[in-house]
């Protein structure tokens, strides 16, 4: 039976990503900090090392099978929670400038501890709701890539995420399963927000029998100033 470290290495190799011993050690340290902090606050329901490695770390990195990250200079992770997918992506692709956005401050205190302990550079945490932060000039239409593993309807998620990406940038939504119906119902919202669906790809998660769905949305025009609407509205009344 493989150790956690061996499982992580075999999964990263399966994803065909170059890695160093330092990066593997950063993941192990991240896991240890996550489990320790999880004793006092709810960060993840998944705590077994093998499961965290596969369902959080490798899952976060799976996007490499779908999208070339080498050309990405800046990325925002909307609703980052315990740091997924943003921190694993930052560990493996240190050239990317990363913003981790979450509405719960105590999660961000933890993420700042992780960033310091792992000595990650060009990464910051931002506290607030996507609807408010994306109205600020320093964040609106400033990113090459927006990623989100947040659980929400694609129409709602698009209103949170598309305003952050610059024209010709990409919003990639991680989905456990996305019906064609959900995608069809989101097309109007995505178009209104300045996006266009490029692809929906189903990719098998390494070291598992789980399929992950990635919906890739390209920013083709500027998001109208009225979007996103005020906090809470996108989830209550998705654009139709």
């Amino acid at each position: 039976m493989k150790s956690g470290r061996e499982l992580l290495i075999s999964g990263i190799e399966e994803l065909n990503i170059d890695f160093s011993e330092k990066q593997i050690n950063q993941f192990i340290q991240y896991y240890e900090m996550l489990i320790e902090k999880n004793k006092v606050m709810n960060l993840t329901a998944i705590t077994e090392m093998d499961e965290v490695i596969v369902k959080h770390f490798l899952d976060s990195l799976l996007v490499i099978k779908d999208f070339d990250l080498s050309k990405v200079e800046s990325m925002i992770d909307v609703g980052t929670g315990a740091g997924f997918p943003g921190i694993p992506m930052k560990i493996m692709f240190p050239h990317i400038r990363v913003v981790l956005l979450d509405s719960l401050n105590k999660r961000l205190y933890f993420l700042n501890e992780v960033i310091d302990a792992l000595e990650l550079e060009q990464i910051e945490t931002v506290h607030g709701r996507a609807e408010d932060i994306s109205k600020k000039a320093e964040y609106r239409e400033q990113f090459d890539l927006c990623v989100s593993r947040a659980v929400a309807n694609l129409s709602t998620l698009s209103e949170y995420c598309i305003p952050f990406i610059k024209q010709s940038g990409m919003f990639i939504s991680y989905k456990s399963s996305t019906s064609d119906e959900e995608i069809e119902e989101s097309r109007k919202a995505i178009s209104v927000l300045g996006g266009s669906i490029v692809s929906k790809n189903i990719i098998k998660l390494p070291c598992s029998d789980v399929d992950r769905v990635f919906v890739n949305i390209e920013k083709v025009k500027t998001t109208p100033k009225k979007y996103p609407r005020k906090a809470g509205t996108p989830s209550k009344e998705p654009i139709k």
Side-chain angles (χ1 to χ4, degrees), residues 97 115 131 157 164 230 235:
R97 180 175 62 82
I115 288 165
E131 301 99 315
L157 258 186
F164 285 110
K230 70 176 194 231
S235 58

Side-chain angles (χ1 to χ4, degrees), residues 16-188:
N16 209 20
I17 307 172
D18 292 332
F19 64 91
S20 66
E21 188 66 21
K22 178 188 175 185
Q23 287 166 314
I24 299 302
N25 290 338
Q26 285 174 315
F27 275 112
I28 301 302
Q29 189 174 1
Y30 183 16
Y31 168 75
E32 289 168 352
M33 293 181 75
L34 177 69
I35 296 312
E36 191 57 37
K37 184 61 75 172
N38 206 56
K39 292 173 183 174
V40 293
M41 64 179 285
N42 182 27
L43 288 166
T44 175
I46 299 167
T47 55
E48 289 298 321
M49 189 174 196
D50 288 3
E51 282 201 80
V52 171
I53 285 168
V54 174
K55 294 180 180 176
H56 283 324
F57 295 169
L58 297 178
D59 182 59
S60 293
L61 297 173
L62 190 59
V63 69
I64 190 67
K65 287 278 195 184
D66 186 56
F67 188 73
D68 182 6
L69 291 171
S70 65
K71 298 179 180 69
V72 173
E73 292 179 3
S74 58
M75 180 186 90
I76 184 166
D77 175 7
V78 172
T80 188
F84 307 121
I87 286 185
M89 289 171 75
K90 177 64 182 179
I91 290 171
M92 294 310 300
F93 302 94
H95 72 279
I96 302 175
R97 180 175 62 82
V98 174
V99 170
L100 305 173
L101 174 65
D102 203 84
S103 60
L104 201 62
N105 229 342
K106 62 181 182 178
R107 286 194 198 119
L108 299 180
Y109 292 143
F110 164 68
L111 295 180
N112 285 328
E113 289 172 8
V114 172
I115 288 165
D116 288 345
L118 273 48
E119 298 180 342
L120 300 175
E121 297 175 350
Q122 285 197 296
I123 178 168
E124 66 169 310
T125 60
V126 175
H127 174 241
R129 296 181 67 136
E131 301 99 315
D132 300 322
I133 302 300
S134 67
K135 294 280 191 186
K136 297 186 175 185
E138 64 264 43
Y139 298 110
R140 190 174 183 87
E141 303 195 323
Q142 295 298 310
F143 297 90
D144 300 323
L145 176 65
C146 176
V147 290
S148 182
R149 287 208 321 170
V151 179
N153 176 281
L154 190 56
S155 297
T156 301
L157 258 186
S158 296
E159 191 167 351
Y160 294 152
C161 294
I162 291 174
F164 285 110
I165 46 178
K166 53 177 80 161
Q167 214 156 312
S168 78
M170 194 73 74
F171 161 43
I172 301 180
S173 172
Y174 287 60
K175 290 282 188 180
S176 52
S177 63
T178 300
S179 68
D180 291 333
E181 186 180 1
E182 182 183 350
I183 289 179
E184 285 308 312
E185 287 175 354
S186 71
R187 283 188 188 277
K188 167 82 184 297

